[in-house]
Amino acid sequence: MRKTILVLIIILSLPLNACSTNELEKVESVKISYWIGDEKQSEEASFSDKNIIKVFVNATNRAVELDNQKVIKTPPVLTYDLITDENTYQTFHLWVTETGEGFIQSLLLEDRFTYRLEEGAVTDLTTFLNNEGNVDLSTHIEFE
């Protein structure tokens, strides 16, 4: 009985269909490049605050791969890099809409998939973006 409960706890604690397995402790910073219209801006921001890192790591780790893979044609709100203590990084485009939808696309060669963000992650990212003040949420998202 104890083994069954332990196995269930382990299984339930594993993220299903997650985009990534970034551990919060290994990500030291998040680098963000904002987009205005169709163009990525040259200005970048870097964040090492653990609360901000947690928002991006949790959103990435809990994202669910879309069954019907499609590329998003709409320019992203921003591009972000999760930078680890070993100076490796993972890059993603991020879309957050005014209506509460969120998506990311991995820019890794081995994982160029589109993922839907869970509602809580969209809320946290929207709060972050609103606090930044210089970001417009997407009005809609077009898929190819």
Side-chain angles (χ1 to χ4, degrees), residues 24 27-30 48-57:
L24 182 58
V27 177
E28 285 193 342
S29 63
V30 176
S48 56
D49 179 280
K50 287 292 183 190
N51 292 324
I52 294 172
I53 292 170
K54 186 177 180 178
V55 167
F56 284 90
V57 169

Side-chain angles (χ1 to χ4, degrees), residues 11-98:
I11 290 172
L12 293 175
S13 67
L14 295 173
L16 300 175
N17 297 320
C19 173
S20 176
T21 57
N22 295 302
E23 294 178 31
L24 182 58
E25 299 81 37
K26 291 186 178 184
V27 177
E28 285 193 342
S29 63
V30 176
K31 184 175 78 174
I32 296 173
S33 302
Y34 298 99
W35 287 67
I36 296 177
D38 292 346
E39 299 202 15
K40 183 176 173 182
Q41 301 302 296
S42 59
E43 183 180 331
E44 296 178 341
S46 185
F47 300 92
S48 56
D49 179 280
K50 287 292 183 190
N51 292 324
I52 294 172
I53 292 170
K54 186 177 180 178
V55 167
F56 284 90
V57 169
N58 286 345
T60 305
N61 284 342
R62 294 181 179 146
V64 178
E65 184 178 332
L66 294 180
D67 290 334
N68 188 6
Q69 281 296 315
K70 294 182 179 180
V71 174
I72 298 176
K73 293 177 15 177
T74 308
V77 171
L78 58 83
T79 299
Y80 68 95
D81 296 316
L82 298 177
I83 303 169
T84 69
D85 56 359
E86 298 163 351
N87 267 341
T88 60
Y89 63 92
Q90 294 178 319
T91 305
F92 302 88
H93 285 320
L94 169 71
W95 292 264
V96 177
T97 68
E98 295 171 348

Side-chain angles (χ1 to χ4, degrees), residues 119-130:
E119 187 177 326
V122 174
T123 300
D124 292 344
L125 286 164
T126 300
T127 300
F128 168 79
L129 294 170
N130 288 336

